[in-house]
Amino acid sequence: MMTTILSIFLLTIFTGLGLIHFYWLFGGKWGLEKVIPTKENQTSRLLIPKFATLIVALVLLLFALIYLVKSGLINVQIPNLVTKYGYWIIPSIFILRAIGDFKYVGFFKKLKNTEFAKTDSKWFAPLCLTIGIFGILIQLMNK
């Protein structure tokens, strides 16, 4: 039961994030000023190619689909590779993103005083850590 609830939570988060990325891909502006990293003491944002936004959107929706299957709401056969490794890799990616020692992202990022860095510390890194923890809990509950 708890596995289903956590899987539905991750399904919802990944679907929402994927749809937001599609919104940006098709020209949406809401929230963009806080989600693109800038260098310190600069206001110009790093350029994110549309292709990269498309890839991120598709990967997030793929993750949503994987957790939809995990939730048990649909019964679809997925490759053993996904069930054996994918359900561990996905949370690992998000935990690494949250706590990794990177320049722009994560709790231990190098640049901390930009608008993006503050938003990352307040919202994105905690969300990534939560996704990672929930993903690992789902796996541990299935043992």
Side-chain angles (χ1 to χ4, degrees):
M1 175 67 169
M2 187 58 118
T3 300
T4 302
I5 292 169
L6 292 176
S7 295
I8 291 170
F9 174 80
L10 292 179
L11 161 68
T12 305
I13 293 298
F14 285 131
T15 301
L17 292 173
L19 292 175
I20 290 170
H21 280 78
F22 274 113
Y23 166 76
W24 291 327
L25 178 67
F26 292 113
K29 301 290 184 212
W30 175 81
L32 262 180
E33 69 280 352
K34 293 194 180 208
V35 299
I36 300 176
T38 57
K39 296 180 180 180
E40 289 207 82
N41 302 323
Q42 291 183 350
T43 57
S44 62
R45 310 229 178 268
L46 299 176
L47 294 178
I48 307 293
K50 293 265 187 192
F51 183 72
T53 304
L54 173 63
I55 296 301
V56 171
L58 291 174
V59 168
L60 289 168
L61 290 179
L62 175 65
F63 290 171
L65 178 62
I66 288 170
Y67 280 102
L68 174 62
V69 172
K70 187 72 164 179
S71 73
L73 295 176
I74 64 169
N75 189 11
V76 175
Q77 191 66 24
I78 59 175
N80 279 347
L81 200 61
V82 173
T83 58
K84 188 173 183 179
Y85 299 108
Y87 288 118
W88 288 105
I89 291 171
I90 293 170
S92 298
I93 291 168
F94 284 89
I95 288 174
L96 179 64
R97 191 267 185 229
I99 63 173
D101 186 13
F102 300 109
K103 185 172 184 177
Y104 294 106
V105 299
F107 289 118
F108 303 105
K109 65 184 140 302
K110 304 278 190 271
L111 299 177
K112 299 178 187 261
N113 296 317
T114 66
E115 187 68 31
F116 171 81
K118 292 173 187 172
T119 304
D120 181 70
S121 294
K122 184 175 182 181
W123 296 104
F124 308 144
L127 177 62
C128 288
L129 188 60
T130 301
I131 289 169
I133 290 170
F134 284 4
I136 288 175
L137 285 175
I138 288 168
Q139 285 303 99
L140 293 176
M141 284 189 243
N142 284 337
K143 296 284 179 186

